[in-house]
Amino acid sequence: MKKIKGFCLVFLLTNLIFLEAFAQRQVIFDMPNKALAIGREIEIFEDKTASLTFDEVSKRPDIGAYFRRSLQINPNFGVTSSVIWARITLQNRTSQNLYLEIAEATIDSIAFYKIDAEKKVSYLKSGTYVPIRQRDVETNFYLLDLNLAPQEASTYYIRFQSSLPLLFPLRVAPLKVYFEDNHPKDIMQGIYIGIMLVMAIFNFFIFFTVRTKVYLYYVIYVLSFASFFAYNKGFINEFIWPNAVWFNRFGPISISLGISFGLLFANSFLNVERYLPISDKIAKVLIILVFILVTTYWFGLGRTSIILLNAVAFVIVVYVLVIATYIWMKGSEEALFFLGAWSIMLVSALIFIMQLSNILPSDYFTRNALQVGSALEVVMLSFALAHRINKDRKEKEKYQAEVIHQLQANDQMRNRIARDLHDDIGSTLSSIGILSQVVETQIDKKDSSLKKLVGRISESSQNVQRSLSDIVWTTKQTEESLDSVIVKMKEFTAEMLEPKNIDYTFSVSDISCIQFSPLKQYNIYLIFKEAVNNSVKYAQASNVEIAIFFTEEYFTIIVKDNGIGFDEGNVKQGNGLNNMQERALAMNGKIQILTKPQKGTLIELKVPLNSK
């Protein structure tokens, strides 16, 4: 008897369960000016095989018994390979046409079934891979026409499937209510995207000004977050590629770029290599890992890759926070700015990821936490970058002041050396020359060899004195104009040729527009001296012609004499000719020597004008 009673009790409870499963609760909509959130009104069934058809789900009693009332106002299943079925029976007690809003833009596939009072089934397909032009209403979210007449009741089945985190906030309302309700939200989204774009464009111009890669990393980081949320909220799908639905599979690339360039920006901004040399290798490993996960997402491991990508993103955020704290403790002011901004990012990312993973409930705050956090972070990082620019400017000004001070000190030292060379060594050489001449006059004419030796001492001292004068002039030379060089050339020509009774002409065109560095001027002057000196010492010339002019490409000096010339093939080049060639090459110039025995010599120097 007890066994019979027990069996009856089990049978009764089983029937009650089935009766509860099949007795679908009818939701009555009677608010023409408000939207009704039906997240807790629907019944949910999770198809873990992802293979059941609509007929099986709607007609088989064993499957229908597994539908359970939703406990979340915004049903959230995180990243799942299951197909989620939702059903609801709705009665329209208004005079308006009703629409179902699915306020999540990144659902891969939505299949919408309606069973009316006459058991007639209608079907509608939607989702990110359906062109937006084919939707009932072309908005960033999904608005599905319920086709529910006043006082009519119908049952709806909705099939959801996605490779990204699956959540689907559901509301029912007339079309007018959605536009009135969503309009302020669209304004907030516009403000967010506007902030991100302004920050990106501003720092992009700074990058072009200072050419520092930290600003480029920051620009890509900001644009990546802006594009991620524009995709996540459906605006890219609505305005950028409404028909290119294949591109929706590339959605995770934006967050991957944000993660990667955020890490690069942190390393560069904080100068991590200075404090933690291994950081560069760690960053490369993490970025490669992100790249691998995005690639595997494209090649079929979508859900697993997204779960791991969320985990890696969280690890990167924590890692950056740790190194920023470490560097701040080492005394870096920039790290303190960065630490404040990144702490906000850490908290908002944690809330967002926990919401995606169905650890926290999906509501307006948790769904928009990362967006608010990223906007605040971007603004704070912009202040940090501004502080860095100001600091770099001050350091640059300090460095320039130190350089100017050093240049002034060098200039004073150069002037002192030139003065000492002229006053001390120059006067000593002058005394040697004078004494040599005195000795030469007092030596007996018969002692010609000694007299000749003393004459050579006098000549050598004069040559050294002349060279010393040139060195002093070069040391003090700071102007890039050739005027002083031409004066030196004329003085040297007169000094060398007039005592020897050698006729000469010295023609100079207007070269006031030409500027060369002091070093190049010195090389030009020494080549000129060597050419004139050769005409005096070796050529036995009676006439020398000197011409200085310029063309479009070259500054040119020509020294021509009517001396005995020489055979270049039989004459071994000494230090003078070699030095002339080397100095010309040092100026990227070229020197040409034309001579024949008894035909005189022509030396031509050409120096390009394209550099100082």
Side-chain angles (χ1 to χ4, degrees), residues 201-212 215 385 389:
I201 293 171
F202 175 72
N203 285 279
F204 189 66
F205 280 113
I206 293 178
F207 165 71
F208 265 106
T209 302
V210 300
R211 298 290 180 177
T212 304
Y215 295 97
L385 286 170
I389 291 174

Side-chain angles (χ1 to χ4, degrees), residues 102-121:
I102 305 173
E104 179 60 40
T106 59
I107 302 174
D108 291 352
S109 174
I110 300 173
F112 182 69
Y113 301 89
K114 174 188 175 183
I115 306 175
D116 61 18
E118 299 177 357
K119 304 300 181 183
K120 182 181 178 181
V121 178

Side-chain angles (χ1 to χ4, degrees), residues 308-326:
L308 293 175
L309 186 62
N310 287 339
V312 172
F314 186 71
V315 168
I316 289 176
V317 172
V318 174
Y319 164 74
V320 171
L321 186 66
V322 170
I323 62 174
T325 304
Y326 173 77

Side-chain angles (χ1 to χ4, degrees), residues 248-409:
N248 289 320
R249 189 161 181 79
F250 291 83
I253 195 172
S254 58
I255 193 64
S256 301
L257 286 173
I259 295 169
S260 302
F261 280 93
L263 180 56
L264 291 173
F265 168 73
N267 273 10
S268 181
F269 180 82
L270 295 171
N271 196 15
V272 177
E273 289 184 1
R274 173 184 173 187
Y275 301 92
L276 194 66
I278 199 175
S279 63
D280 186 54
K281 294 181 179 179
I282 296 175
K284 288 180 179 178
V285 170
L286 291 172
I287 290 172
I288 290 172
L289 186 58
V290 169
F291 176 78
I292 291 173
L293 291 174
V294 173
T295 304
T296 56
Y297 170 81
W298 292 336
F299 285 96
L301 296 177
R303 296 170 183 86
T304 303
S305 299
I306 293 298
I307 292 173
L308 293 175
L309 186 62
N310 287 339
V312 172
F314 186 71
V315 168
I316 289 176
V317 172
V318 174
Y319 164 74
V320 171
L321 186 66
V322 170
I323 62 174
T325 304
Y326 173 77
I327 294 172
W328 171 58
M329 293 176 66
K330 289 290 184 179
S332 173
E333 292 182 3
E334 289 84 357
L336 182 60
F337 283 93
F338 190 91
L339 193 58
W342 206 263
S343 298
I344 295 174
M345 183 66 179
L346 174 64
V347 174
S348 62
L350 180 61
I351 294 172
F352 186 74
I353 292 172
M354 291 177 70
Q355 176 259 158
L356 290 179
S357 303
N358 203 18
I359 298 173
L360 291 178
S362 177
D363 53 31
Y364 188 78
F365 172 73
T366 57
R367 291 178 66 199
N368 294 283
L370 184 58
Q371 203 167 3
V372 174
S374 63
L376 291 174
E377 183 214 24
V378 163
V379 173
M380 291 185 68
L381 286 178
S382 293
F383 282 114
L385 286 170
H387 175 268
R388 176 169 179 158
I389 291 174
N390 188 48
K391 181 180 178 182
D392 290 344
R393 180 181 58 80
K394 289 182 178 179
E395 290 180 351
K396 185 177 180 180
E397 290 176 352
K398 181 180 178 182
Y399 173 75
Q400 289 175 340
E402 291 175 352
V403 170
I404 291 172
H405 177 73
Q406 187 62 44
L407 288 174
Q408 290 173 343

Side-chain angles (χ1 to χ4, degrees), residues 498-551:
E498 290 179 1
K500 301 293 184 179
N501 295 319
I502 299 174
D503 295 331
Y504 69 93
T505 59
F506 197 116
S507 64
V508 184
S509 63
D510 183 9
I511 58 172
S512 59
C513 61
I514 300 176
Q515 292 186 334
F516 286 135
S517 67
L519 177 60
K520 187 169 287 189
Q521 293 180 35
Y522 185 53
N523 284 328
I524 291 171
Y525 177 61
L526 291 182
I527 291 173
F528 173 79
K529 278 184 64 175
E530 186 66 29
V532 173
N533 190 58
N534 287 342
S535 296
V536 174
K537 293 180 64 176
Y538 307 115
Q540 301 178 20
S542 62
N543 183 270
V544 176
E545 298 177 8
I546 300 170
I548 301 175
F549 58 92
F550 71 96
T551 60

